[in-house]
Amino acid sequence: MSDLPDRRVVVTGLGAVSSLGIGADDFTAAIREGKSGISPINSFDTTGFPHVHAGEVRDFDPAALLDHVRPEQWGRSSQLAAAAARLAVADADLEVAELSRSAAGSIMGTTSGESAVVQSLTEQWTRQGFKGLDAQLVGQLPASQIANAVNYELGLTGDAQTIPTACSASNYALGYAYDLVRSGEADFMLAGGADSVNRYTHAGFYRLGALAESVCSPFDINRTGIITAEGGVALLLETFDHAMRRGARIYAEVLGYAVNCDAKHMVHPDPLSISACIRAAHESAGITPDDVDYICAHGTGTPTNDATEVAAVREVFGTMLPPISSIKSMIGHTMGAASGFGALVCCKALAEGFLPPTTNVQQTDPALGPGVDCVPNVARPARPQVVENHGFAFGGNNAITILGRVA
């Protein structure tokens, strides 16, 4: 990436549709207060499941947030993405008309695509056979519709890419969007992700033995797994120079990123691959480990993930680890949106001066080794200058973004 022009890229708009609230401010306030967005599932019949909790977006009203994307024509993940993107544009104090006249597009990540649509079509197929499938639902099925919905909602004519690298996908999206703005191929880009709670994803993680019963407790000695969740998240990127000219509020600068894939195991993360990705992200951002003030962890709450992640961090940072916390303890695992929500809270941490907590921590697992500061249970006032945002996924897909405070 060294041949790209030296155009600084900043984040000027944030949008969130989450189990903790609609809008970046409400979401962040709930994170800072350590609230939980986890509740009993009501989006599908949980009969037969011993684990019946998830992070569902209960107060999502598409008609109140969207002008063009209609619920009867688009799947839930697409609606969540489009709503988050529109919120990000409003938060950036940009007119949609100005955005649509510019070179602008969207890169959105996902794990399961339009999973709620898949669930509905599967139920129809089971009951009525192939000929019983609703043609309109079939049209909503492609995962590409998630980014398409963002462009359609906002009238954007640039790239509309949906990146399916599962639980690291939003960081992939953020990195790709950063490259497009940095290189001059785009004036503005929206980056983030979306996924929906659904029966088959919930069942899959249950069969893997990765689900916690009702509480996600990353880094805790008694952690047992993830809580499935949903949401849509979007960050608006533009050049630093343009943001300054229009007097925009700047949350953070995108300093760099890195991605890799070890492809060693379908579900078991590899610490050496992750540490290599961290080092590459530092090199991309032009920083050293000593510059990092906080790590927003992937932090799923499974025994293996947390141990592997800490081991990888220790490989790079040595004995002096920066604070590392997981917002999944509050919102659950939002799949393809997860690292997007991480990036959003990193931007807010830089702009507002705090470290987000890891809730549900009774005792930090001593097996993780000394010096693990997971910001237990209570948000902490701080003035981070550089933060590191992790996203890891099945198949060994790792993506790390580095964000910095703009003076």
Side-chain angles (χ1 to χ4, degrees):
M1 294 187 292
S2 60
D3 58 337
L4 294 176
D6 187 21
R7 285 161 51 108
R8 296 174 65 187
V9 179
V10 294
V11 179
T12 56
L14 301 171
V17 182
S18 79
S19 61
L20 282 178
I22 307 297
D25 289 341
D26 286 351
F27 172 78
T28 304
I31 290 289
R32 296 186 69 164
E33 294 171 20
K35 291 185 176 180
S36 173
I38 308 306
S39 58
I41 294 168
N42 69 3
S43 61
F44 63 86
D45 182 3
T46 59
T47 301
F49 281 101
H51 300 75
V52 297
H53 288 76
E56 293 181 312
V57 183
R58 294 291 182 85
D59 52 355
F60 178 47
D61 180 4
L65 295 172
L66 298 168
D67 288 348
H68 302 294
V69 167
R70 296 284 180 257
E72 66 272 15
Q73 297 174 333
W74 299 83
R76 183 171 175 84
S77 296
S78 295
Q79 295 171 47
L80 291 168
R86 182 168 279 280
L87 288 167
V89 173
D91 185 57
D93 197 24
L94 271 173
E95 295 293 331
V96 172
E98 178 186 351
L99 196 66
S100 64
R101 290 193 301 268
S102 305
S106 64
I107 314 294
M108 304 302 290
T110 192
T111 292
S112 301
E114 282 297 357
S115 51
V117 174
V118 173
Q119 179 179 312
S120 296
L121 287 171
T122 301
E123 291 169 354
Q124 290 179 0
W125 196 333
T126 301
R127 290 195 306 265
Q128 305 167 40
F130 183 77
K131 292 184 178 180
L133 298 183
D134 182 335
Q136 190 167 33
L137 276 180
V138 173
Q140 297 173 12
L141 182 60
S144 59
Q145 291 290 77
I146 295 173
N148 292 346
V150 174
N151 279 32
Y152 178 73
E153 173 65 22
L154 299 170
L156 309 183
T157 57
D159 275 25
Q161 296 280 346
T162 303
I163 295 180
T165 48
C167 305
S168 59
S170 285
N171 259 355
Y172 273 84
L174 182 55
Y176 183 22
Y178 163 72
D179 280 344
L180 290 173
V181 175
R182 183 179 171 215
S183 68
E185 294 182 60
D187 298 322
F188 301 94
M189 288 300 298
L190 286 147
D195 265 297
S196 305
V197 164
N198 63 91
R199 184 182 180 88
Y200 87 84
T201 298
H202 194 77
F205 278 99
Y206 171 70
R207 290 295 294 162
L208 281 172
L211 281 187
E213 185 172 349
S214 59
V215 176
C216 180
S217 309
F219 309 113
D220 187 75
I221 190 172
N222 294 315
R223 65 191 183 279
T224 58
I226 77 165
I227 297 290
T228 56
E230 66 181 357
V233 60
L235 289 76
L236 181 75
L237 275 57
E238 61 183 292
T239 65
F240 172 78
D241 289 344
H242 186 270
M244 292 297 290
R245 285 197 301 271
R246 70 181 187 89
R249 171 186 52 196
I250 296 175
Y251 287 107
E253 181 174 359
V254 184
L255 300 177
Y257 77 101
V259 300
N260 68 8
C261 179
D262 59 75
K264 288 185 177 180
H265 195 280
M266 187 61 202
V267 299
H268 196 297
D270 177 64
L272 294 180
S273 178
I274 292 170
S275 62
C277 194
I278 295 172
R279 288 193 176 91
H282 290 178
E283 181 178 0
S284 170
I287 63 169
T288 69
D290 290 342
D291 295 317
V292 177
D293 299 309
Y294 166 70
I295 297 173
C296 187
H298 188 59
T300 62
T302 64
T304 298
N305 176 92
D306 294 359
T308 302
E309 184 166 14
V310 170
V313 169
R314 199 179 295 281
E315 170 68 20
V316 176
F317 288 84
T319 58
M320 300 298 293
L321 306 184
I324 177 170
S325 69
S326 173
I327 62 172
K328 289 183 179 68
S329 57
M330 293 166 276
I331 64 172
H333 196 332
T334 53
M335 306 296 158
S339 54
F341 280 116
L344 185 153
V345 84
C346 283
C347 288
K348 283 287 198 176
L350 288 164
E352 297 180 4
F354 72 96
L355 301 183
T358 306
T359 59
N360 309 316
V361 178
Q362 296 182 351
Q363 179 187 351
T364 303
D365 187 354
L368 297 176
V372 176
D373 174 9
C374 64
V375 195
N377 301 314
V378 179
R380 182 182 304 163
R383 294 287 291 174
Q385 301 297 311
V386 176
V387 298
E388 180 175 311
N389 182 44
H390 287 181
F392 312 137
F394 285 173
N397 286 294
N398 306 310
I400 292 170
T401 50
I402 307 293
L403 300 160
R405 181 191 299 273
V406 175

